[in-house]
Amino acid sequence: MTGFDPIRLEVLRNGLEATAQEMGVVLKLTSFSPNIKERMDASCAIFDAKAQLVAQAEHVPVHLGSMLRAVGPTLALMDPLAQGDVVILNDPYVGGAHLPDITLVAPVFVDGRCIAYVASRAHHSDVGGMEPGSMPGRSTEIFQEGLIIPPVRLYRQGTEQTDIMAMILANVRTPEERKGDINAQLAALRIGIRRIDELAERFGSHALEDGFATILDYTERRMLKRLAELPSGSWTSEDCLDDDGSSDDPVVIKLRVDVMPDKMVFDFAGSSSLRRGNINAVQAMVHSSVFYSIKILMDPTLPPNSGVMRPVEILIPKGSFLDAQKPAAVCAANTETTQRLADAILKAFSQFAPDRIAAASQGTMNLVGIGGRDPRNGMPYTYVETICGGQGGRPMGPGMSAVHTNMSNTLNTPIEALEISYPLRVERYELRENSGGDGANRGGDGVIRALRIIGHEARVSLQTDRRRFDPYGLYGGMVGSTGRNWIEKKGELMSAPGKGSMTLDAGDAVILETPGGGGWGAANR
Amino acid sequence: MSRRIRVASDVGGTFTDSIAYDEATQTITVSKVSTTPVNRAQGTVTGLKRALGLQDGTGSDVVYVGHGMTTTTNAVIQRKGARTAFVTNRGFRDILLIGRQNRPTLFDITIVRPEQLVPRDLCFTVRGRLGPGGTEIEPLNEADVHEVAAAIKAADVEAVGVLFLHSYANPTHEERVRKILEEALPGVAVCISTEINSEFREYERASTTVLNAYLRPLMQEYLESLHGMLVDTQEGLALSSEKPVMVMDAAGGLMSLDSARLKPVHTVLSGPAGGVVASAHVAHLAGIPDIITMDIGGTSTDISLIRKGRPEITRSASLETVPIRLPVIDINAIGAGGGSIAWIDDGGALRVGPMSAEAVPGPVCYGRGGTLPTVTDANLVLGRFDEKSRLGGDLGLDLAAARKVIEEKIADPIGLDLYEAAAGILRVAHANIVRGIRVVSIERGYDPREFALVPFGGAGPMHGSPVARELRMPHVMVPPTPGILCAMGQLISDLRHDFIETHIASYESMGVDGALTIIRAQVAKANAHLDHDGVPQEKHDIEVKIDVRYLGQSYDLPILVDMTDTHFWEKLPGNFHAAHAARFGHADPSNPIEIVGIGVTGIGRIDTPVLPKLAEGVSQPPSAALKGSRKIYFEPFNQLEKGEFQDAPIYDRAALLAGNTISGPAVVEEISATTILYPGDRLTVHVSGNMIVEVAQ
C-alpha cells in the first residue's frame, strides 16, 4: 500500500466525501421537482472498480443503505462499460429500492482504465403505473406501480440514446419534469467524474485505487473496534406491521442477532412469507435498515461505505416478504417496511446496549395523498405529505415530540404555502398530548393534523402504520399510543383505515393522529 | 479648528477591536483589548480611548461611532433572553415546537432540538382565522384575547410575540391584538410578526418574531449602558450626546440606536458581517469584484462569497436550528481554526477538529495549560510563526512544548517524522476548509476558480496560499490590517432598512401598475425610516428586488430591478430566466412565471472614509523592509511527496511600498497577522494597501 499514511487517508476521505456532497448539491440545484430540490429525496455516491461503495453524501437514511448494493448487481447484468457510458435503471430487483427511485451509474476512466463508478439516485414524483405519484396504496404486483427500467445504457460512449429516453418519457405522467430531473442526475455524475479526475492527478490513479481500499479497510477497522466492545451472544426480537394493505393479517418480522467479537449476523428466519400487498421488500431494503441501525448503535460518525458492512452477515429466508421476487408489489417498503425493520433491529440491540438505544419511535411515515380538481382554477392537483410523530424515550432523556424518526427526515409543507397552493384548509396542527409512552424518560408526542376539503370533491389516500400495534417501550417504559385516522363526512366523525383510499366531498375533512414514542425506563412514582 | 474623528469597535467573545480614523489626515490607528464580559461597554470605551490616544485624539473629537457586537447572538445561544409568551391561532399552539418536523441529526440520538425560546405553557391561542390572500374566514375573538392577556399577566412575562396565519397579507388581526395586549400589559414588549417580516411561511416568521421579542428587553438595557458610557464625561468617552452611534446588523448594514432597540433580531449573527463588508470595500479599491472571504479564528472559519462587490445575502439563516427569516450575509462557518485539535481516531486516521482548545487553555505553545496539539502548534513547529511573536498574550511561544506534543501525540503513533506530522495537520485542516469553500460556492451556483481568496482574521493570511491552490483559485488578496477587519467594517457600512412583503400573483395578473403600487408604498416606508435616522434625501439609495418563480415551483429567486428603466416590468421575465439558468443550470422561457414577493432596501449612504494610499515604490522592496530570514517547512501540492525546510526572507509589511514584489518562499509580518508565501507564489503590493498574491499552480 503505497503512501497511504494516516494523513493522506484523511485528506483523500475528505476529498471523496466532498465530491459526493458536491454531486448532491449539483443534483439539488439543477433538478426540477420539489421532491428532489427541496426535500432532497436523493443520494449520490462513489464506488471503486469492484463496485464497493467508497463515499456518499448523507441525506435521507433510507437511501444511504440501499445504495450499498446499487452498482454491483447492475454491472453483473451488463457488458463492461466504456468511457462515456451512462446506465439508467429503476428495477428494484436489480438496483434495490422501488420504482420511483431512478438510478444513474457511470464509470470513471483515468489513463484508459476504469478506476471507479459514480452513481446518483433520486425519487421521481411519477414513473407511471396505476396511480399518479407511482405509490399506489393497493398495488398487488409491480407492474401496477410504474414503468420498470432494467439496466440499459442511456449514454453510449458519450452519445445519448434518444430512443431509450423517448421510451421512458412516453410512460410517465410528467415527461418534462422527468427529463429535467434525469438531466440533473447526469450533471451530478459529470461533476463527480471531474473531481475524481482531479484527485487522480494529485495522487496518481494507481495510488488513488489503493486509497479507496485504504478507506474501506479504515472503516472496517473502526467497525471492528466498536464490535469488539459489545458483549458476545444472541438476542431475538419481533415486531410487526399492522397489515399489507390488502388483507388484515399482521406482517411479522422475526430477528435473531448474533454478536461475535469480529462478526455480526442478522437472521430474519421466521418472518412472514411474501404478501399480496405492497409492503414486500427487496433485500437491499433490509440492508438499508441494518446499516442505519448499526450507525445508531456503533457510532453515528462511521463513514457511510461498504467497509461498515464487511463484518456483517444478513440472512433473509427465501420466500419471505423480505426477499421480494418479481412480480411482487414493493412500493411501500421504503416508507413503512424499513421503519418496522429498524424497530425490530433496535429492539434486539436494546437488550445488550441499553445505554444507546431509544424506545420505539412512531414507526411510520404517515403518508397522506389528496388529489382532485382545484375549484379556483379548474386545474388538477396532487398533494402528498408525510407527517411527523413521537420519538421514543432515550437513555439520556425524553424523546422529541413531532419529528420524523429513523428512516425518514423530510420537511413539512408550511400551512400558509399549502393553503395558497391547494384547495385545502389546515384546521389543526398541534401536539397530540400524552400520546408518548410514560416512563423515566417519556416518549415524544405525536401530532394531530386536520385537513378540510374546500369547494370540491377529492380523492384521499392513506398509507400509515402503527394503527394496531403500538410503539414499544423499553425497561419498564410504557408503549406509545397507536395512531388513529379519521374522516369527517357531512359533519360526522368516523374512523378511517390505516391504508386505503376514499372519496371526500366539499366540506369533509381528514384527520390524522400520529403515534407517540414509547417510554424508556419505569416512571418514578 | 476641531478635529473630526470616526471611531468603531467590534466586541468579540475574547477581544474588543477598535479603530479610529481622522477624516482630514486619513490617519488610522487601531487597538486590541480584552473584552469585558460583565459590562461590555467598559472594554469598548477602553479600546476606543486607546485607539484615539495613538493619534492624540479625545472623545470630544469623535463625530461618529460604529459598533459591532455578539451580545444578542450569545443571548440566544445561552438562552438568556426575556421570559417570552407566544400568541397565535386556535389549533396551532405548537407552530414553534413542531417547526419543519425534521430532527437535527440523522444518526445521533444524543442530540435533540435545543430548548425552545418560549416554553409550551406560554404559548396561547385565540379564535379568528384568515385564509390565503388575507380574507377573513373567522373574525378575531376579542374575548379570547382578553383572556390570554390576563393569563400572560399572571405568568409574569417580559415580552410577547404574536403571529396569525396569513397575516403577511392582512395584519389587522395582529394589530388589534397588539393594541389589546399593550393596554393590558404595560411595560411588556409586544411584537407582531408583520412588523418584523411580511413573508409567508408561518414557522420561520413566527420564529423571527418571537426572537425579536425575546431580545428586546436585553437590547434596551445593553444600548442604554453603551450610550451612557460613551457620553459619560468622567469614566466614559465624553462623546457629545448628539453624535450618531450606529450598530452593525447581520445584513452588513448599520442601524440607528432607535432601530436596534426595536428590532434587535437584526443584530443576531452580525458578528462576522463587518469583516465581510470591509473585505468587499478594500477588494473594490484593488479592482477585484469577486472574492471569497475566509476569516480564520480560533475555533472556526467563516466563509462568505462576494460577487460584483456585493456580499451574498440569504433570507433563510438560522442560529442553532432557530430560523431567522431576514436578510443576512450568507456566512458558512466550518469547525476548523487555529485552535482546532489534531488527533488520531480509532481507525488510525489523522483528524483535525471539530474539538478546539479555544482561547483557554489555547494551543500548547501558549503555555497556558493546553495539552493537545493544535493547528497553531503545527504552524509554529514548521516555522510559520516566529518563536518570539506574541500570539498568546504577553509571553513568547513555547516551541519546545509544541514540538514535544506533536511528536508524542501524532508523529510517534503514526510513525512519521515530526515535520511530516505537523505538515499533515495542516494538510488535513486545509482539506476541511477547502471542502467548506467548495460546497458553499457550488451551492450558490459559482465556481471558486473565478474568485480571489481574501483571508483575514489573525490566522487567515497564513493559510491563504495552500487553500487557494487546492481550489485552483489564481489569486489571494491579503487586506490591510487583516486582524481587525471587522471593526473597519463598522466605519465603512451604510445604513440599511429592508422591507420584504409576500404578494403572490401571476406575472400577468399583477401587471406593472399592481407592482408599482406595492413598490411605491414600500419605497415611501424606506424613505421615512431613513429620514427618521437623519439621512438627507440625496443620500438615500433605494434597491428593489422582485421575488419570482416558475408557476408550480416552490422556490423563488430575488431579481434586482432597475427602477429608472421604464421597461423594468417587461424585462423582468428575461432577467428571471437568465438568473434561473445561472443558478440552477436550466431555464424555460415558455413556462409561466409568478411573483412571490417584493422587497425594498433603503440604504442611507455615509461618506465612506477615504483609506490612505501607500507611497509608490519599485519592484524591489526597500531594504528597510527586509527583517531577516528563517527556515520554513513547506508541504508540496502532490499529496505523496515529502516536504522540506527552505530559507524564507521575512518582510515587515509596514515598510512595504506600492509596487513592491516578493517571490515565495517568503514571510510578510505585521502586528496582527503573518502572511506565508509558498515557493512559486508571487506577491505584489497594491497602492490600496492590499497585498495581491499570484498563487503558484
Side-chain angles (χ1 to χ4, degrees):
Chain A
M1 212 149 304
T2 48
F4 272 83
D5 58 46
I7 297 160
R8 276 79 189 178
L9 163 63
E10 180 63 9
V11 170
L12 177 62
R13 188 175 71 83
N14 232 305
L16 289 171
E17 285 180 9
T19 298
Q21 205 179 346
E22 204 181 330
M23 289 170 70
V25 167
V26 168
L27 174 56
K28 183 183 160 95
L29 275 185
T30 57
S31 62
F32 273 52
S33 60
N35 198 43
I36 302 172
K37 196 163 211 85
E38 296 198 49
R39 302 176 62 200
M40 204 52 203
D41 194 350
S43 63
C44 293
I46 300 162
F47 297 79
D48 70 7
K50 286 177 264 170
Q52 302 183 86
L53 195 156
V54 182
Q56 66 177 323
E58 301 193 336
H59 301 296
V60 183
V62 70
H63 272 279
L64 281 172
S66 78
M67 283 294 268
L68 289 168
R69 290 154 63 91
V71 172
T74 301
L75 296 179
L77 292 175
M78 310 211 56
D79 304 330
L81 299 184
Q83 185 155 13
D85 284 359
V86 178
V87 177
I88 187 167
L89 74 152
N90 75 342
D91 186 346
Y93 301 108
V94 180
H98 55 174
L99 293 176
D101 284 342
I102 296 181
T103 305
L104 266 60
V105 181
V108 184
F109 278 82
V110 177
D111 307 331
R113 285 186 314 119
C114 173
I115 62 162
Y117 296 91
V118 287
S120 61
R121 169 174 287 175
H123 184 124
H124 287 248
S125 58
D126 186 89
V127 289
M130 68 196 277
E131 299 268 3
S134 312
M135 292 283 287
R138 297 208 168 248
S139 54
T140 53
E141 53 177 14
I142 193 164
F143 304 107
Q144 298 164 325
E145 296 178 348
L147 170 71
I148 303 171
I149 313 170
V152 290
R153 284 176 174 79
L154 182 61
Y155 277 73
R156 198 178 279 275
Q157 297 182 28
T159 306
E160 184 182 344
Q161 306 300 290
T162 48
D163 45 358
I164 293 282
M165 186 67 112
M167 177 81 194
I168 293 169
L169 298 181
N171 280 282
V172 300
R173 290 183 177 84
T174 41
E176 280 303 311
E177 190 178 271
R178 295 293 65 74
K179 189 171 183 201
D181 286 346
I182 289 172
N183 282 336
Q185 288 185 262
L186 281 166
L189 297 190
R190 278 189 213 110
I191 195 81
I193 292 170
R194 194 168 101 204
R195 292 286 179 250
I196 294 173
D197 269 345
E198 287 174 7
L199 286 168
E201 196 184 307
R202 288 191 70 187
F203 286 91
S205 66
H206 287 281
L208 187 59
E209 284 195 272
D210 289 343
F212 294 157
T214 314
I215 286 172
L216 296 177
D217 292 346
Y218 155 81
T219 308
E220 182 186 12
R221 257 193 324 274
R222 280 181 63 185
M223 177 67 185
L224 286 169
K225 281 253 170 72
R226 298 281 83 83
L227 204 48
E229 293 162 9
L230 299 177
S232 289
S234 279
W235 290 271
T236 59
S237 70
E238 188 177 324
D239 206 335
C240 52
L241 290 154
D242 296 340
D243 55 68
D244 69 355
S246 160
S247 79
D248 283 341
D249 296 340
V251 186
V252 181
I253 295 168
K254 283 199 172 175
L255 169 64
R256 197 189 73 238
V257 177
D258 297 327
V259 179
M260 291 158 258
D262 56 354
K263 193 176 176 189
M264 222 174 173
V265 181
F266 294 79
D267 187 346
F268 291 91
S271 299
S272 289
S273 48
L274 196 71
R275 300 297 292 258
R276 187 160 183 277
N278 55 23
I279 48 67
N280 301 300
V282 295
Q283 293 209 359
M285 291 284 92
V286 182
H287 285 247
S288 188
S289 292
V290 168
F291 180 83
Y292 167 80
S293 306
I294 283 176
K295 290 256 288 182
I296 294 277
L297 169 71
M298 304 279 191
D299 180 352
T301 68
L302 276 177
N305 64 41
S306 295
V308 171
M309 298 300 266
R310 280 187 184 163
V312 175
E313 194 179 342
I314 301 175
L315 304 171
I316 300 169
K318 287 229 170 311
S320 73
F321 84 105
L322 299 176
D323 177 40
Q325 299 296 325
K326 210 165 182 172
V330 298
C331 73
N334 277 49
T335 51
E336 297 300 322
T337 310
T338 56
Q339 289 285 32
R340 194 65 64 258
L341 281 162
D343 288 340
I345 298 165
L346 293 170
K347 193 197 268 182
F349 288 174
S350 72
Q351 297 165 54
F352 58 84
D355 55 337
R356 278 186 243 170
I357 302 296
S361 294
Q362 72 157 340
T364 171
M365 298 190 196
N366 302 302
L367 185 100
V368 185
I370 304 180
R373 204 168 274 279
D374 190 334
R376 298 174 297 184
N377 55 21
M379 301 290 285
Y381 74 93
T382 318
Y383 156 79
V384 179
E385 182 137 53
T386 59
I387 305 176
C388 58
Q391 181 192 34
R394 304 165 304 127
M396 54 296 288
M400 282 181 279
S401 297
V403 281
H404 262 312
T405 57
N406 291 338
M407 307 304 287
S408 177
N409 200 30
T410 51
L411 302 181
N412 58 12
T413 310
I415 298 159
E416 290 173 344
L418 190 163
E419 293 183 346
I420 291 167
S421 301
Y422 306 105
L424 303 170
R425 184 176 307 141
V426 183
E427 291 196 335
R428 200 169 169 199
Y429 189 32
E430 282 185 318
L431 288 196
R432 184 182 170 207
E433 289 178 18
N434 295 315
S435 54
D438 199 5
N441 294 326
R442 284 189 64 93
D445 287 332
V447 298
I448 302 174
R449 187 155 167 116
L451 284 154
R452 194 168 297 280
I453 313 292
I454 306 296
H456 69 295
E457 181 188 283
R459 186 94 182 134
V460 176
S461 304
L462 299 173
Q463 197 166 94
T464 66
D465 208 85
R466 287 285 193 214
R467 266 51 186 174
R468 288 168 75 190
F469 304 111
D470 28 39
Y472 57 80
L474 286 177
Y475 318 109
M478 304 302 287
V479 297
S481 302
T482 50
R484 286 187 293 196
N485 302 341
W486 306 93
I487 49 173
E488 190 197 297
K489 258 182 125 40
K490 303 198 190 317
E492 193 186 332
L493 198 63
M494 54 187 89
S495 175
K499 301 178 184 70
S501 302
M502 57 219 86
T503 301
L504 295 189
D505 291 318
D508 291 350
V510 56
I511 301 139
L512 273 81
E513 298 183 30
T514 68
W520 193 99
N524 295 317
R525 290 286 169 226
Chain B
M1 190 180 132
S2 70
R3 297 174 68 184
R4 290 178 57 84
I5 300 181
R6 298 189 208 179
V7 297
S9 56
D10 185 69
V11 188
T14 314
F15 293 111
T16 296
D17 296 341
S18 304
I19 187 165
Y21 164 81
D22 184 307
E23 289 182 0
T25 63
Q26 296 171 12
T27 309
I28 288 180
T29 48
V30 304
S31 82
K32 209 175 197 52
V33 300
S34 290
T35 294
T36 47
V38 179
N39 179 3
R40 291 181 176 230
Q42 188 76 54
T44 304
V45 166
T46 309
L48 289 178
K49 276 185 175 166
R50 192 174 290 184
L52 279 167
L54 289 172
Q55 50 176 295
D56 300 320
T58 67
S60 56
D61 300 326
V62 172
V63 295
Y64 176 95
V65 181
H67 189 70
M69 44 94 165
T70 53
T71 301
T72 48
T73 310
N74 292 340
V76 180
I77 293 170
Q78 298 163 2
R79 295 292 187 270
K80 285 192 174 156
R83 183 166 158 82
T84 305
F86 175 58
V87 180
T88 190
N89 301 93
R90 183 75 36 100
F92 299 91
R93 180 180 180 185
D94 299 303
I95 285 178
L96 291 169
L97 191 148
I98 298 172
R100 298 303 301 275
Q101 80 174 4
N102 55 328
R103 60 189 192 276
T105 62
L106 293 182
F107 300 106
D108 190 344
I109 66 161
T110 63
I111 295 174
V112 293
R113 293 178 182 131
E115 186 195 324
Q116 298 285 312
L117 296 179
V118 180
R120 189 161 192 260
D121 60 357
L122 292 182
C123 294
F124 301 94
T125 65
V126 297
R127 279 169 290 184
R129 180 75 147 86
L130 304 173
T135 48
E136 189 175 86
I137 293 167
E138 183 190 12
L140 179 68
N141 186 317
E142 298 204 0
D144 286 354
V145 182
H146 286 287
E147 217 169 281
V148 165
I152 291 176
K153 188 159 201 158
D156 193 24
V157 307
E158 301 160 83
V160 184
V162 181
L163 167 127
F164 289 130
L165 292 169
H166 300 293
S167 63
Y168 59 86
N170 176 2
T172 51
H173 286 190
E174 284 188 358
E175 284 165 357
R176 180 69 193 137
V177 168
R178 178 174 57 193
K179 188 157 190 307
I180 296 173
L181 292 182
E182 277 179 346
E183 281 168 13
L185 305 165
V188 172
V190 179
C191 198
I192 63 173
S193 81
T194 40
E195 70 190 49
I196 298 299
N197 175 282
S198 290
E199 293 178 89
F200 79 121
R201 291 194 179 93
E202 67 283 351
Y203 168 56
E204 287 76 5
R205 193 166 81 250
S207 166
T208 310
T209 307
V210 160
L211 196 53
N212 195 61
Y214 182 77
L215 293 169
R216 224 145 89 171
L218 170 138
M219 188 65 151
Q220 170 90 19
E221 202 175 306
Y222 178 87
L223 293 178
E224 257 169 36
S225 144
L226 175 72
H227 197 251
M229 278 295 281
L230 288 174
V231 298
D232 187 288
T233 49
Q234 303 294 316
E235 305 285 304
L237 197 66
L239 175 79
S240 115
S241 64
E242 81 281 4
K243 300 290 185 235
V245 179
M246 296 287 170
V247 179
M248 193 76 188
D249 75 16
L254 292 170
M255 305 174 80
S256 66
L257 285 184
D258 278 349
S259 299
R261 224 174 259 133
L262 286 174
K263 298 183 175 181
V265 65
H266 283 271
T267 64
V268 178
L269 298 174
S270 66
V276 176
V277 171
S279 297
H281 183 74
V282 296
H284 169 74
L285 297 178
I288 304 178
D290 299 337
I291 60 174
I292 291 174
T293 65
M294 174 176 85
D295 176 3
I296 303 186
T299 57
S300 68
T301 295
D302 289 335
I303 296 159
S304 77
L305 212 137
I306 292 163
R307 179 92 174 144
K308 294 184 181 157
R310 290 166 173 273
E312 286 277 307
I313 299 278
T314 176
R315 272 152 48 192
S316 44
S318 67
L319 175 56
E320 290 196 329
T321 78
V322 177
I324 302 171
R325 181 73 188 177
L326 290 172
V328 166
I329 294 183
D330 197 357
I331 290 169
N332 200 288
I334 54 173
S340 291
I341 290 169
W343 53 293
I344 310 285
D345 74 14
D346 61 2
L350 174 67
R351 309 274 288 272
V352 177
M355 299 85 70
S356 163
E358 313 211 356
V360 182
V364 172
C365 63
Y366 285 11
R368 290 197 297 232
T371 55
L372 298 169
T374 64
V375 170
T376 299
D377 294 310
N379 274 321
L380 180 62
V381 166
L382 299 176
R384 309 289 170 95
F385 285 122
D386 185 348
E387 206 182 333
K388 293 177 212 72
S389 58
R390 299 267 185 267
L391 286 178
D394 296 331
L395 299 171
L397 297 176
D398 190 345
L399 174 62
R403 292 173 63 109
K404 183 158 174 279
V405 75
I406 292 177
E407 207 145 66
E408 283 176 4
K409 303 267 190 207
I410 308 291
D412 290 351
I414 62 179
L416 289 175
D417 73 41
L418 169 66
Y419 302 111
E420 266 209 276
I425 294 173
L426 297 192
R427 281 187 192 270
V428 172
H430 294 158
N432 291 339
I433 295 172
V434 162
R435 178 176 177 174
I437 293 178
R438 183 164 271 157
V439 171
V440 166
S441 41
I442 299 287
E443 266 178 353
R444 286 146 189 82
Y446 301 120
D447 184 336
R449 290 175 300 182
E450 292 161 12
F451 291 74
L453 185 67
V454 177
F456 64 96
M462 185 158 286
H463 299 278
S465 166
V467 167
R469 182 144 81 142
E470 280 204 41
L471 287 161
R472 292 159 203 255
M473 297 169 76
H475 294 103
V476 169
M477 191 198 87
V478 183
T481 60
I484 57 123
L485 210 60
C486 277
M488 190 190 281
Q490 264 72 270
L491 278 191
I492 288 167
S493 295
D494 293 320
L495 276 84
R496 177 177 175 127
H497 292 280
D498 285 290
F499 302 90
I500 304 168
E501 295 175 1
T502 288
H503 293 278
I504 298 176
S506 71
Y507 172 73
E508 290 74 20
S509 69
M510 178 172 284
V512 64
D513 294 333
L516 278 174
T517 308
I518 297 163
I519 292 169
R520 285 190 186 122
Q522 283 181 286
V523 169
K525 255 195 262 183
N527 280 322
H529 276 75
L530 292 172
D531 289 342
H532 182 80
D533 290 342
V535 181
Q537 191 66 40
E538 69 273 14
K539 306 229 166 183
H540 293 197
D541 272 355
I542 301 289
E543 232 176 47
V544 178
K545 283 181 178 163
I546 303 185
D547 299 340
V548 186
R549 67 183 177 189
Y550 285 118
L551 194 66
Q553 299 282 31
S554 50
Y555 50 92
D556 49 76
L557 284 176
I559 307 297
L560 188 65
V561 296
D562 177 2
M563 295 305 296
T564 61
D565 183 343
T566 50
H567 298 291
F568 82 95
W569 186 250
E570 288 79 2
K571 289 180 181 166
L572 183 67
N575 291 340
F576 168 69
H577 298 308
H580 198 276
R583 179 78 190 240
F584 300 126
H586 57 83
D588 181 4
S590 67
N591 209 333
I593 63 172
E594 187 174 48
I595 309 303
V596 179
I598 293 183
V600 165
T601 303
I603 293 164
R605 274 180 289 113
I606 61 159
D607 295 314
T608 310
V610 181
L611 299 181
K613 288 192 171 145
L614 294 184
E616 292 281 346
V618 293
S619 173
Q620 172 89 20
S623 55
L626 188 62
K627 295 204 294 186
S629 78
R630 66 172 178 263
K631 288 200 180 301
I632 293 184
Y633 186 97
F634 289 100
E635 76 284 4
F637 183 62
N638 183 310
Q639 290 287 354
L640 301 181
E641 287 170 18
K642 287 178 74 163
E644 59 180 11
F645 274 97
Q646 301 188 31
D647 257 324
I650 304 167
Y651 293 89
D652 177 10
R653 185 168 185 179
L656 293 177
L657 302 174
N660 289 168
T661 61
I662 299 170
S663 294
V667 184
V668 182
E669 293 185 341
E670 60 195 294
I671 294 168
S672 67
T674 303
T675 300
I676 301 286
L677 298 184
Y678 273 52
D681 290 347
R682 192 177 156 80
L683 178 151
T684 307
V685 180
H686 192 269
V687 65
S688 58
N690 292 291
M691 300 193 296
I692 296 165
V693 182
E694 248 176 84
V695 180
Q697 295 290 338

